[in-house]
Amino acid sequence: MVPKIRRGSRTHGLLVYLYGPGKRDEHTDPHLVGSWDGFAPDPGRDTSPDPDPKVTLARLAAALDLRVKQAGPKAPAEHVWHCSVRTDPGDRTLTDEEWNTVARRLVQAVNLAPEGDPDGCRWVAVRHADDHIHILATMVRGDLRRPRMNYDFKKAQAECRRIEQEMDLRRLKPGDGTGAKTPTSAERFKAERTGRPETPRETLREAVRQAVAGAVSEAEFFNRLREAGLRLKLRHAPSGDILGYTVALPGDRNRNHEPVWFAGSTLAPDLSYPKIQTRLADGTPDAAPLPKADNGRLDWSPPAQGRRTATETAERAATRLDSDDDEAAAQLAGIGELLDAVAQTSPAATRAELRAAARTFERATRSHVRAEHADTRAIRSAARGIIQAGSALGRGEDGGTTAMLVSTLVLVALAAARWHSARGHAQQAEASRQTAEHLRAAYHQAAAAPMQALRDQGRALPEAQRRTYETTIRAALPEKSTRPDTGTKDDALAATLAQAEQTGHDPKALLQKAIDMRELDTADNVNDVLVWRLRRLAQLPAHPGDAARHPQVGTGRAKSAANQIDVRTAQQAANRPAAPDPRNRPPRR
């Protein structure tokens, strides 16, 4: 049940709208379901001998405004309190009597008409659809004083949560006032008229978020906004210092044919100019070129290198979130930027789900918890590296490293959900869980080709060698960590261990290191998570077909690693059947 509260100054005008056909003929059978005394005239159900809806509506407006006129100049300029209350689409249809109860409880909760107070404000509740009512009240009491209505929105929200429980309706998550402003009805109707898939407010919010992702300076942030095709207007002080910014979509104009401007603070609380200044100061990323992979390889594409670096950074962010430390709040904003960066540069097959994940996680980046030492330079540098590297292809190493990064981001989103849940942030926790679902869908799309290739390679291993790797896997992974309902065949994991051993790694030690990196309980598929961890630790290509194109993977470390293996381990390795050489296989396209 969602309440929306507005203030106004025209009682009669609002009644005309409530009893009218609506802007799109959506009002049916408008009538009163409740009023301050139960005897207010109802323009929709007038039973007088010669009913005239216009006359009855004028009588109702005059009755509501009586105390406003009596108060004269002491009455507030915006004396109309307007609250629409809507049930969820999946809820049952409430009766008029139930809506009357809802209205009475809400006007009492916000202190408009406390129960038993003869001087309470006058109000009516109008129903013109199955799923919602409108409460109209005039904010002058019988003693001609104004009602004390501090925090009326929060009080209405809290009362709706109680009503949902008592009336067996869908229970929405309580908010904390940190959410972004939702589009107004007028904005939604305008978007439909002009053929836009969403309102300009939503489009601009996403564009500004993407512009700030990984930016190193205000100048770069403003340049990105211009490059995105937005209209930009800066507000300057007499000294020339920038005080704020507003943005508008080209072609979005009001009735006077003027651009419709939105300040950053009206798009989202954390997109105001002061908040962006603070973010850039606390976590300015390194503007240096992309870091090379640990083995110094130059043959991986920049998008692939950027995603590998981002995966390691995301792992560290997840560890911070698992620590239950308030300082981890800064990591949430950084993860939001990383998601925005990945969504901008992702392959076409995964772009829709990654954009949905970035948009959803935006709600999880804001709460009342503030990190005192908000150092987000590492994660913002990772976001910058992805943006600088450009768009990734959906195949080969680019596609494989996208799957590697998204697999880690799923666990990061779930860690964020636990972090928020521990602090009672219901909306943020739910947003984090929804983000994880979008990321899982993107992962399945990105990982389909590389994981299938790995499974084929695992099945092609000699039987004795395969049994050896399966024994290693079973010894390292307890049965409770393996979920029978998610497909736990070891083909891909065995192939990865074989390739890691060929480059000089000890399979047992490397597998245990991958397991110990972080918890695996929240993994949708434990084996998949371990495959990507192993391939990152061993610097193996993220796409197994690239092994044929890059035969020297890890050879620089292979010699030193082999020198550290004891004699007994070396003898055991020598007795095993040799793994097939990836160099002898044709590259997978």
Side-chain angles (χ1 to χ4, degrees):
M1 182 172 286
V2 181
K4 292 186 178 180
I5 296 174
R6 293 171 287 274
R7 305 287 176 95
S9 58
R10 298 177 61 246
T11 305
H12 186 271
L14 180 56
L15 286 173
V16 169
Y17 167 73
L18 296 180
Y19 278 94
K23 295 183 178 180
R24 299 180 300 169
D25 299 324
E26 71 274 20
H27 296 180
T28 58
D29 187 24
H31 61 279
L32 289 184
V33 294
S35 64
W36 71 94
D37 60 357
F39 298 100
D42 184 358
R45 301 281 178 88
D46 192 349
T47 58
S48 61
D50 188 16
D52 186 340
K54 292 183 178 179
V55 173
T56 307
L57 191 145
R59 287 174 49 216
L60 177 60
L64 287 166
D65 279 340
L66 175 63
R67 293 168 176 173
V68 177
K69 295 185 181 298
Q70 291 174 341
K74 294 183 179 180
E78 291 191 329
H79 62 272
V80 176
W81 186 85
H82 176 206
C83 176
S84 61
V85 192
R86 186 180 301 271
T87 55
D88 186 77
D91 285 334
R92 62 184 177 85
T93 300
L94 301 185
T95 65
D96 284 355
E97 291 74 17
E98 289 175 317
W99 276 122
N100 179 37
T101 300
V102 171
R104 290 187 176 278
R105 291 183 59 167
L106 285 175
V107 295
Q108 178 180 345
V110 300
N111 202 41
L112 273 169
E115 186 175 2
D117 184 357
D119 289 327
C121 297
R122 294 191 170 191
W123 62 273
V124 293
V126 180
R127 181 179 188 178
H128 53 213
D130 288 339
D131 63 347
H132 71 279
I133 61 170
H134 293 261
I135 304 172
L136 185 161
T138 48
M139 295 185 291
V140 178
R141 290 170 43 82
D143 53 15
L144 304 186
R145 292 186 295 113
R146 299 183 186 185
R148 295 181 178 179
M149 298 181 61
N150 297 332
Y151 308 107
D152 56 339
F153 179 73
K154 289 186 177 180
K155 292 176 181 177
Q157 287 273 19
E159 188 64 23
C160 282
R161 301 294 82 77
R162 289 188 284 268
I163 292 172
E164 289 165 355
Q165 183 174 0
E166 295 174 18
M167 290 191 173
D168 195 25
L169 304 175
R170 181 192 173 193
R171 300 181 190 179
L172 301 183
K173 306 298 181 184
D176 59 0
T178 61
K181 184 178 179 180
T182 57
T184 65
S185 298
E187 291 173 353
R188 292 196 299 271
F189 295 155
K190 181 180 177 181
E192 292 179 9
R193 290 196 309 270
T194 56
R196 295 182 184 274
E198 61 185 6
T199 64
R201 181 189 299 274
E202 295 167 304
T203 303
L204 290 169
R205 182 184 300 141
E206 182 176 23
V208 174
R209 280 201 338 262
Q210 291 182 348
V212 78
V216 297
S217 65
E218 296 173 30
E220 181 180 1
F221 167 60
F222 293 137
N223 285 337
R224 286 187 182 181
L225 291 176
R226 296 187 183 97
E227 291 170 359
L230 306 184
R231 299 172 66 98
L232 174 66
K233 185 166 60 177
L234 302 180
R235 186 163 56 90
H236 294 85
S239 62
D241 294 337
I242 297 176
L243 297 178
Y245 74 98
T246 53
V247 289
L249 279 182
D252 182 29
R253 297 181 178 274
N254 58 22
R255 65 181 62 183
N256 297 322
H257 303 288
E258 299 170 339
V260 180
W261 296 97
F262 290 85
S265 58
T266 64
L267 298 176
D270 56 339
L271 296 182
S272 67
Y273 180 65
K275 292 290 181 63
I276 287 178
Q277 280 184 308
T278 302
R279 189 189 303 190
L280 294 177
D282 289 341
T284 300
D286 185 1
L290 281 169
K292 296 182 177 64
D294 289 346
N295 60 357
R297 286 176 51 155
L298 299 176
D299 48 2
W300 282 338
S301 68
Q305 291 188 26
R307 278 158 170 72
R308 282 179 175 269
T309 301
T311 302
E312 297 173 5
T313 306
E315 285 274 11
R316 292 193 293 270
T319 303
R320 291 290 301 276
L321 289 167
D322 284 337
S323 67
D324 200 31
D325 182 1
D326 282 353
E327 294 300 312
Q331 302 297 310
L332 295 170
I335 290 296
E337 289 195 30
L338 187 57
L339 282 170
D340 283 322
V342 176
Q344 291 181 66
T345 60
S346 63
T350 57
R351 191 173 303 147
E353 289 292 351
L354 289 174
R355 285 187 63 185
R359 283 192 168 197
T360 305
F361 194 75
E362 183 255 353
R363 181 66 189 96
T365 61
R366 292 188 304 274
S367 69
H368 289 301
V369 177
R370 292 289 180 267
E372 294 183 7
H373 307 289
D375 187 357
T376 58
R377 283 172 293 182
I379 198 165
R380 297 196 72 239
S381 293
R384 180 176 181 79
I386 287 178
I387 292 174
Q388 285 186 319
S391 297
L393 300 174
R395 59 184 183 275
E397 191 67 11
D398 285 7
T401 50
T402 297
M404 177 186 291
L405 174 57
V406 174
S407 174
T408 302
L409 288 174
V410 172
L411 300 182
V412 175
L414 294 175
R418 292 193 298 272
W419 188 88
H420 280 302
S421 294
R423 288 156 180 78
H425 304 161
Q427 288 186 354
Q428 292 90 332
E430 180 63 21
S432 300
R433 286 188 284 268
Q434 292 178 6
T435 300
E437 292 305 311
H438 287 299
L439 290 171
R440 281 192 177 111
Y443 169 76
H444 291 311
Q445 293 168 341
M451 291 303 295
Q452 184 59 49
L454 277 173
R455 285 191 286 269
D456 291 343
Q457 291 181 7
R459 284 192 287 268
L461 289 173
E463 187 63 27
Q465 187 180 15
R466 176 181 171 79
R467 283 200 301 268
T468 300
Y469 291 129
E470 287 180 346
T471 302
T472 300
I473 295 168
R474 292 288 176 257
L477 279 177
E479 285 297 324
K480 63 181 180 181
S481 297
T482 305
R483 299 181 182 179
D485 58 336
T486 55
T488 57
K489 291 188 178 299
D490 301 326
D491 300 331
L493 192 52
T496 299
L497 289 175
Q499 294 172 15
E501 185 175 24
Q502 187 179 10
T503 60
H505 292 279
D506 180 356
K508 292 182 180 178
L510 190 66
L511 179 59
Q512 193 59 50
K513 183 177 180 180
I515 293 172
D516 294 340
M517 285 177 65
R518 283 195 68 248
E519 56 82 25
L520 292 167
D521 293 338
T522 56
D524 190 49
N525 190 308
V526 174
N527 282 21
D528 278 22
V529 173
L530 290 177
V531 163
W532 297 120
R533 288 182 184 177
L534 287 168
R535 302 193 79 80
R536 193 170 75 254
L537 289 172
Q539 285 296 312
L540 298 173
H543 194 287
D546 282 7
R549 291 188 288 272
H550 305 295
Q552 278 80 35
V553 175
T555 53
R557 285 195 302 271
K559 295 180 181 179
S560 60
N563 291 336
Q564 297 173 7
I565 302 176
D566 58 40
V567 176
R568 183 171 54 188
T569 305
Q571 291 174 345
Q572 292 173 351
N575 292 331
R576 296 174 188 161
D581 191 344
R583 291 172 290 186
N584 296 330
R585 300 194 191 122
R588 297 185 66 86
R589 299 292 182 184

